């Protein structure tokens, strides 16, 4: 599937393994003011709106330089009322980060903290909206990448919408890989970035939001460079990014979008990621690993596995043993239990997952960790 002869596969939530075509698109330099590059920017913005099923007279897509957090910061500054209050739903690092951003901007907020891995429930959100009528917007992380949980976006969106509040969704690690439609689900602000499920390289994030919110966001920014309204206004007027764009990353992203379309869009990509996840979870369970989450909450993006209790298991040695076999995995991000994470996204399929599972079996044997069963015992089962 991919020409990664020497480099390791990245079983991480982004940056991730990109295709040769995406890498090759970067072998050219572009003038940031030139019309050829402006057309790439315009095309990417149009394609992203279409992917979200957002009508272009109601929503706009505004790219923002930097990593995903830069886009989250610019979106929070623009789309939350400085005189209002934000309800931040948290069950991991990215919900916590949003609260930290609001704190630093001097915006008021309340939190619903579910700990490491429990989903916020629609009835809990409704109760808080009734308890604090001054809340103006709600922030939800769709796939909380710290655990891999897929939070109940649709049900929460209905509650937020029925209370007349603005919904801001961090869909960083899900957009493009899990269906999200602003046509079907009342989402006011959707945030994602280049290097996750659309399989581009890092360099920018983007915000898809209601035009009315953008217009209301004029003058709200706490930061010159992260002023989403100013970026939009300038881009609409000139076709250019307000400050130096990550040109190579943008053209690589356009190439990645073409491959996304060829794969069958979000549905096609979601199907492949789901196959990867299913093969991974099944093989890992054969080897004796447990997932942190029950099957119902597992996203097709990244899965958290609990570290074996066998004292012979040590994450750094495990990581090194897998790296020497060509696979990079991801450390855990939980506060309570020892864990690690394996991503299912990027340019890889079940053949690579099968190779990874063999490498994991070898690594465990090398470390002297007792195996529950051998992978060969899995063959033939459905
Ligand atoms: C990756 C990610 C972000 C952004 O992280 P950066 O390191 O700034 O790119 C934000 N939210 C979620 C859920 C993510 O997975």
């Amino acid at each position: 599937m991919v020409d990664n002869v020497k480099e390791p596969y990245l079983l991480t939530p982004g940056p991730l393994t990109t295709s040769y075509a995406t890498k090759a698109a970067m072998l050219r330099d572009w003038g940031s003011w030139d019309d050829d590059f402006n057309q790439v920017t315009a095309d990417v913005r149009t394609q992203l709106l279409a992917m979200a099923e957002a009508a272009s007279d109601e929503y706009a897509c505004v790219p923002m330089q930097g990593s995903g957090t830069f886009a989250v910061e610019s979106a929070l500054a623009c789309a939350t009322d400085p005189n209002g209050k934000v309800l931040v739903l948290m069950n991991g690092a990215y919900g916590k980060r949003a609260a930290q951003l609001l704190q630093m901007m001097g915006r008021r907020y309340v939190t619903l903290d579910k700990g490491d891995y429990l989903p916020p429930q629609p009835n809990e959100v409704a109760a808080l909206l009734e308890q604090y009528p001054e809340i103006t917007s709600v922030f939800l992380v769709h796939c909380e990448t710290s655990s891999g949980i897929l939070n109940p976006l649709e049900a929460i969106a209905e509650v937020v919408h029925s209370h007349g509040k603005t919904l801001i969704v961090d869909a960083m690690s899900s957009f493009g890989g899990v269906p999200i439609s602003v046509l079907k689900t009342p989402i006011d602000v959707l945030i994602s970035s280049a290097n996750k499920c659309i399989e581009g390289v890092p360099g920018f994030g983007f915000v898809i939001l209601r035009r009315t919110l953008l217009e209301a966001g004029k003058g709200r920014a706490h930061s010159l460079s992260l002023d989403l309204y100013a970026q939009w206004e300038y881009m609409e007027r000139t076709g250019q990014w307000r400050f130096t764009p990550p040109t190579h990353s943008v053209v690589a992203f356009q190439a990645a979008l073409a491959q996304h379309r060829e794969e069958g869009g979000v549905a096609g990509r979601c199907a492949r990621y789901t196959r990867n996840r299913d093969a991974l979870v099944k093989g890992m369970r054969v080897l004796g690993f447990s997932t942190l989450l029950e099957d119902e909450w597992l996203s097709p993006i990244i899965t958290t596995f609990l570290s074996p209790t066998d004292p012979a298991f040590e994450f750094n040695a495990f990581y090194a043993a897998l790296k020497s076999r060509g696979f990079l995995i991801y450390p855990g991000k939980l506060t309570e239990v020892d864990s690690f994470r394996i991503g299912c996204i990027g340019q890889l399929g079940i053949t690579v997952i099968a190779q990874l599972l063999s490498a994991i079996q070898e690594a465990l044997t090398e470390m002297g960790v007792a195996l529950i069963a051998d992978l060969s015992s899995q063959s033939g089962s459905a």
Side-chain angles (χ1 to χ4, degrees), residues 195-377:
N195 59 284
K196 298 215 167 159
C197 297
I198 300 171
E199 301 185 356
V201 304
F204 67 99
F206 51 87
V207 186
I208 291 169
L209 77 171
R210 283 193 194 279
R211 287 170 174 269
T212 49
L213 281 172
L214 256 177
E215 272 148 21
K218 183 178 183 178
R220 278 181 183 172
H222 61 302
S223 151
L224 178 75
S225 51
L226 296 177
D227 187 335
L228 196 71
Y229 171 85
Q231 175 90 319
W232 174 66
E233 190 277 328
Y234 189 85
M235 214 171 248
E236 293 289 297
R237 194 154 42 81
T238 67
Q240 299 167 21
W241 298 53
R242 195 160 139 256
F243 303 126
T244 301
T247 47
H248 296 80
S249 170
V250 176
V251 294
F253 190 69
Q254 190 186 39
L257 279 169
Q259 296 156 52
H260 186 273
R261 247 188 349 264
E262 280 159 26
E263 195 176 345
V266 178
R269 188 143 295 181
C270 186
R272 175 164 61 86
Y273 289 172
T274 303
R275 283 195 300 274
N276 287 351
R277 193 261 331 262
D278 290 347
L280 174 72
V281 168
K282 187 174 167 206
M284 289 295 278
R285 284 179 177 157
V286 168
L287 290 173
F289 288 95
S290 308
T291 57
L292 168 76
L293 302 171
E294 289 170 22
D295 289 6
E296 175 191 3
W297 302 109
L298 289 178
S299 69
I301 309 298
I302 188 166
T303 305
T304 298
F305 294 97
L306 303 180
S307 297
T309 49
D310 187 326
F313 183 87
E314 200 268 313
F315 178 76
N316 291 327
F318 184 56
Y319 181 91
L322 293 179
K323 182 175 176 181
S324 73
R325 290 168 172 83
F327 303 98
L328 299 190
I329 63 165
Y330 220 47
K333 219 176 197 174
L334 303 178
T335 52
E336 306 276 318
V337 287
D338 266 346
S339 63
F340 61 90
R341 294 174 290 169
I342 298 182
C344 312
I345 65 180
Q347 275 296 298
L348 46 94
I350 52 173
T351 311
V352 172
I353 297 293
Q355 290 162 356
L356 168 72
L357 288 164
S358 301
I360 290 174
Q361 177 167 319
E362 280 173 31
L364 294 174
T365 308
E366 188 177 279
M367 293 170 74
V369 176
L371 289 177
I372 304 295
D374 200 83
L375 279 174
S376 54
S377 65

Side-chain angles (χ1 to χ4, degrees), residues 53-310:
E53 300 187 337
S56 59
D57 55 344
E58 261 184 83
Y59 286 85
C61 173
V62 191
M64 181 56 76
Q65 295 95 326
S67 84
T69 304
F70 295 53
V72 175
E73 181 164 347
S74 69
L76 284 173
C78 177
T80 65
D81 183 349
N83 301 312
K85 192 178 251 184
V86 185
L87 169 59
V88 181
L89 306 177
M90 350 200 265
N91 53 350
Y94 295 102
K96 284 204 183 98
R97 188 175 298 173
Q100 192 187 0
L101 288 168
L102 290 166
Q103 170 93 46
M104 294 196 74
M105 288 176 210
R107 304 282 165 97
R108 292 185 306 155
Y109 64 90
V110 287
T111 62
L112 172 64
D113 189 353
K114 300 290 295 186
D116 269 350
Y117 56 87
L118 293 174
Q121 298 292 350
N123 62 327
E124 296 172 312
V125 176
L128 284 164
L129 292 179
E130 275 140 40
Q131 187 184 345
Y132 299 98
E134 71 275 23
I135 289 174
T136 42
S137 35
V138 178
F139 180 90
L140 171 72
V141 180
H142 185 206
C143 172
E144 178 47 88
T145 322
S146 3
S147 64
I149 191 171
L150 200 59
N151 283 318
L153 168 62
E154 284 78 14
I156 287 174
E158 286 310 325
V159 168
V160 173
H161 183 68
S162 71
H163 284 76
K165 314 295 183 186
T166 298
L167 180 62
I168 303 169
V169 179
D170 173 349
M172 204 70 66
S173 62
S174 56
F175 186 65
V178 177
I180 303 174
S181 163
V182 305
L183 196 65
K184 298 190 192 103
T185 308
I187 299 169
D188 303 289
V189 182
L190 186 71
I191 311 158
S192 190
S193 75
N195 59 284
K196 298 215 167 159
C197 297
I198 300 171
E199 301 185 356
V201 304
F204 67 99
F206 51 87
V207 186
I208 291 169
L209 77 171
R210 283 193 194 279
R211 287 170 174 269
T212 49
L213 281 172
L214 256 177
E215 272 148 21
K218 183 178 183 178
R220 278 181 183 172
H222 61 302
S223 151
L224 178 75
S225 51
L226 296 177
D227 187 335
L228 196 71
Y229 171 85
Q231 175 90 319
W232 174 66
E233 190 277 328
Y234 189 85
M235 214 171 248
E236 293 289 297
R237 194 154 42 81
T238 67
Q240 299 167 21
W241 298 53
R242 195 160 139 256
F243 303 126
T244 301
T247 47
H248 296 80
S249 170
V250 176
V251 294
F253 190 69
Q254 190 186 39
L257 279 169
Q259 296 156 52
H260 186 273
R261 247 188 349 264
E262 280 159 26
E263 195 176 345
V266 178
R269 188 143 295 181
C270 186
R272 175 164 61 86
Y273 289 172
T274 303
R275 283 195 300 274
N276 287 351
R277 193 261 331 262
D278 290 347
L280 174 72
V281 168
K282 187 174 167 206
M284 289 295 278
R285 284 179 177 157
V286 168
L287 290 173
F289 288 95
S290 308
T291 57
L292 168 76
L293 302 171
E294 289 170 22
D295 289 6
E296 175 191 3
W297 302 109
L298 289 178
S299 69
I301 309 298
I302 188 166
T303 305
T304 298
F305 294 97
L306 303 180
S307 297
T309 49
D310 187 326

